[in-house]
């Protein structure tokens, strides 16, 4: 029983750490080629790697007699929509801003979970949601909007957050029919198909010469393998063992990682209002998900009979 209690928590921590650094790696390559090309390379590499593992029988998938069509629609939300918004948003938003706005994901997960999964929230949780929203609003107002580009970045990252939240709730529902590996493989496959298709018909051109540059391919491998395949698997695994509103609390760790990476590695400026707003967001999100750290008894009992 202890094993199943601990593994989802470890998965959440590892996933948050990887995601936090992904903003840094993405920011370093968005100027090398088009965002669409980056997404195309990212999910093509991810799908090829997973396919190789399947052929080598390292991992196993079986989609027979399962609802594949709903799974395809699910895979459009994540990664197609969320990663598109995130990648284009990073052309205009800083690493710190993206990390802070991403802290809103648990808020939307709770709202969507209440509607789709009938999960209830207490008065304290609702107040915490407002505190987190206030933190993001405070940062935006204090920073000011320097032209259309900055606002566009904020909007795109925000839409990415909504997509990720919707995916988390859907993943909870689909985890009853598909294994975490199967969900991840479908997501990588749909990402590869959609992004390559759009790249083919768009005016943006694929520059394959960037794949020969070490300063591009190394961040790309991080984004494709760790930040796509590994984090998707960890997230799908975690949400299969916890409620949506419980599992998403670990995403807040990525906010801290991304902010620190932006400040200490990219040398982005960290102002006092960033600190105040971040504290408001973190306190609000922790308060909104305070029960998420303790896995309910009925969930742990169910976990003991799951055999992967």
């Amino acid at each position: 029983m202890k094993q199943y209690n601990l593994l989802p928590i470890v998965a959440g921590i590892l996933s948050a750490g990887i995601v936090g650094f992904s903003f840094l790696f993405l920011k370093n390559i968005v100027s090398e080629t088009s965002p669409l090309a980056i997404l195309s390379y990212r999910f093509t590499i991810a799908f090829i790697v997973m396919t190789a593992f399947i052929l080598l029988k390292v991992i196993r998938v079986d989609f027979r007699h399962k609802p594949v069509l709903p799974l395809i629609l699910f895979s459009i939300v994540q990664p197609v929509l969320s990663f598109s918004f995130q990648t284009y948003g990073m052309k205009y938003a800083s690493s710190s801003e993206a990390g802070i706005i991403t802290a809103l994901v648990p808020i939307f997960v709770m709202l969507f979970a209440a509607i789709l999964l009938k999960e209830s929230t207490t008065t304290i949780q609702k107040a915490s949601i407002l505190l987190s929203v206030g933190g993001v609003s405070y940062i935006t107002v204090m920073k000011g909007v320097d032209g259309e580009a900055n606002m566009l970045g904020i909007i795109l990252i925000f839409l990415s957050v909504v997509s990720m939240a919707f995916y988390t709730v859907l993943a909870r529902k689909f985890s009853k029919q598909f294994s975490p590996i199967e969900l991840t493989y479908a997501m990588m496959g749909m990402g590869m198909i959609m992004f390559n298709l759009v790249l083919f018909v768009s005016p943006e051109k694929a520059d394959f010469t960037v794949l020969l540059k070490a300063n591009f391919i190394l961040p790309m491998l991080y984004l494709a393998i760790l930040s796509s395949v590994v984090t998707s698997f960890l997230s799908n695994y975690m949400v299969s063992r916890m409620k949506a509103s419980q599992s998403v609390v670990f995403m807040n760790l990525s906010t801290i990682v991304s902010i620190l990476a932006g400040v200490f590695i990219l040398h982005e400026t960290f102002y006092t209002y960033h600190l105040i707003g971040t504290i408001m967001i973190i306190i609000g999100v922790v308060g909104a998900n305070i029960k998420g750290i303790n896995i309910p008894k009925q969930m742990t009992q169910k976990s003991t009979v799951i055999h992967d």
Side-chain angles (χ1 to χ4, degrees):
M1 182 179 298
K2 290 183 179 179
Q3 181 184 15
Y4 284 104
N5 286 342
L6 180 61
L7 288 180
I9 294 175
V10 173
I13 294 173
L14 290 176
S15 178
I18 295 172
V19 170
F21 276 106
S22 70
F23 292 112
L24 170 64
F25 286 96
L26 183 57
K27 192 67 176 179
N28 283 339
I29 65 173
V30 288
S31 61
E32 297 290 333
T33 187
S34 69
L36 188 56
I38 290 175
L39 290 168
S40 174
Y41 303 152
R42 178 174 182 170
F43 286 95
T44 298
I45 294 173
F47 184 76
I48 290 173
V49 169
M50 287 202 72
T51 300
F53 282 142
I54 291 173
L55 294 176
L56 293 173
K57 301 187 184 301
V58 176
I59 58 177
R60 182 175 59 184
V61 297
D62 185 3
F63 295 103
R64 293 174 297 180
H65 310 300
K66 293 182 180 180
V68 177
L69 181 58
L71 179 63
I72 292 175
L73 299 177
F74 160 80
S75 301
I76 291 177
V77 176
Q78 174 86 344
V80 178
L81 292 180
S82 64
F83 277 80
S84 297
F85 291 138
Q86 182 192 85
T87 302
Y88 278 95
M90 287 300 296
K91 285 183 69 71
Y92 309 105
S94 69
S95 176
S96 298
E97 287 172 337
I100 293 171
I101 295 174
T102 302
L104 288 170
V105 172
I107 297 173
F108 285 96
V109 168
M110 292 186 66
L111 293 176
F112 293 156
I115 297 172
L116 301 176
L117 303 179
K118 308 303 179 183
E119 294 182 4
S120 61
T121 56
T122 65
T123 301
I124 293 178
Q125 289 174 322
K126 290 182 175 67
S128 298
I129 290 175
L130 295 178
L131 180 63
S132 292
V133 173
V136 175
S137 301
Y138 173 73
I139 291 172
T140 304
V141 171
M142 292 299 294
K143 185 179 186 301
V145 181
D146 301 326
E148 181 181 356
N150 188 40
M151 176 58 79
L152 179 59
I154 292 174
I155 292 174
L156 290 174
I157 296 296
F158 181 81
L159 290 175
S160 173
V161 163
V162 174
S163 300
M164 285 188 286
F166 193 52
Y167 144 74
T168 302
V169 174
L170 289 179
R172 176 63 182 168
K173 295 178 68 69
F174 279 103
S175 65
K176 297 178 181 179
Q177 288 123 349
F178 298 93
S179 70
I181 285 291
E182 290 169 347
L183 290 176
T184 303
Y185 190 57
M187 291 163 61
M188 299 305 107
M190 182 56 65
M192 180 191 69
I193 293 171
M194 293 299 295
F195 291 129
N196 277 289
L197 179 62
V198 175
L199 179 63
F200 179 76
V201 300
S202 75
E204 296 185 15
K205 301 299 181 182
D207 180 13
F208 295 104
T209 61
V210 295
L211 296 174
L212 301 177
K213 300 178 181 179
N215 61 348
F216 182 88
I217 191 61
L218 293 179
M220 179 55 63
L221 289 175
Y222 181 95
L223 293 172
I225 299 175
L226 290 178
S227 191
S228 295
V229 176
V230 176
T231 59
S232 294
F233 168 75
L234 292 174
S235 178
N236 290 329
Y237 170 79
M238 182 172 53
V239 81
S240 71
R241 297 299 192 270
M242 297 179 176
K243 291 182 180 179
S245 57
Q246 293 175 321
S247 63
V248 79
V249 70
F250 295 98
M251 285 195 63
N252 297 298
L253 296 176
S254 66
T255 300
I256 301 172
V257 175
S258 63
I259 292 174
L260 294 178
V263 172
F264 292 105
I265 300 179
L266 297 181
H267 306 293
E268 295 177 351
T269 304
F270 188 85
Y271 296 102
T272 303
Y273 61 79
H274 278 136
L275 176 61
I276 297 174
T278 300
I279 292 174
M280 292 173 64
I281 292 170
I282 297 301
I283 292 177
V285 172
V286 170
N289 294 271
I290 193 67
K291 293 183 179 180
I293 299 176
N294 298 317
I295 304 175
K297 183 177 180 181
Q298 60 268 30
M299 289 295 295
T300 58
Q301 291 176 339
K302 180 180 178 180
S303 297
T304 60
V305 297
I306 295 178
H307 300 283
D308 291 325

